[in-house]
Amino acid sequence: MKNLKIFAATGAICLAVNASAVSAGNPDVGGAPMYASKNIIENAVNSADHTTLVAAVKAAGLVDTLMGEGPFTVFAPTNAAFDALPAGTVEALLKPEAKEQLTQVLTCHVVGADAMSTAIKGMIDDDGGAHIVPTLGGCELNATYDGDKIMLEDEQGRTITVTIADVEQSNGVIHVVDQVILPVQ
């Protein structure tokens, strides 16, 4: 009986350690907890604010890629960001014949590195106040910051703001952004 109590106590401590390690420091996104032990897709599907992004990733055939080893940094636009695009844009991009264009738009939100906000700010400081961020989609984003706020300028000259930074994933990091990054047309 004594061993059983020790085992039960050890099990409880183990569970408490695992639960805090899984979501340590991660903010909720779209009303859902984000777990550092899950990959980008496993977390994104739970965010009520990212249903359009998830649908677009599925339509582009990028699910397996973003479930892969990475590391990836994803600048994840919210549903409101997609809604702010001109009427009919999202619907047109989700059509099978627009898969190539959709893939480029989405991969302009992905960097092939694990870049937390402190690393991004460090690169900006090292480059004298602005840092060019090359994306997997071939876009170049101009990163700057003001206080804790990181901004990205896309190739169309639009400023995209990181609204939730440093959401750790098992294969990288997500930074929630307020606009869809668009490549040069």
Side-chain angles (χ1 to χ4, degrees), residues 141-162:
L141 308 174
N142 187 33
T144 59
Y145 73 89
D146 183 11
D148 287 338
K149 184 172 31 170
I150 294 176
M151 288 90 51
L152 306 165
E153 183 178 313
D154 68 12
E155 293 177 337
Q156 293 193 16
R158 300 165 51 251
T159 301
I160 293 93
T161 302
V162 173

Side-chain angles (χ1 to χ4, degrees), residues 20-99:
S20 73
V22 167
S23 61
N26 264 352
D28 285 0
V29 175
M34 298 286 114
Y35 298 99
S37 63
K38 293 184 177 185
N39 66 48
I40 291 164
I41 297 298
E42 291 170 331
N43 275 318
V45 298
N46 293 316
S47 169
D49 291 343
H50 291 88
T51 56
T52 305
L53 177 61
V54 170
V57 167
K58 288 178 182 177
L62 294 172
V63 170
D64 289 341
T65 300
L66 292 176
M67 288 181 78
E69 187 175 322
F72 302 109
T73 296
V74 175
F75 297 105
T78 61
N79 294 341
F82 281 101
D83 291 344
L85 292 172
T89 301
V90 173
E91 293 78 10
L93 284 171
L94 292 175
K95 291 182 178 179
E97 60 269 19
K99 184 176 179 179

Side-chain angles (χ1 to χ4, degrees), residues 104-130:
Q104 184 187 18
V105 168
L106 292 175
T107 56
C108 281
H109 291 79
V110 182
V111 177
D114 187 349
M116 299 297 278
S117 63
T118 54
I120 295 169
K121 288 179 179 179
M123 290 180 270
I124 292 167
D125 289 341
D126 290 347
D127 288 351

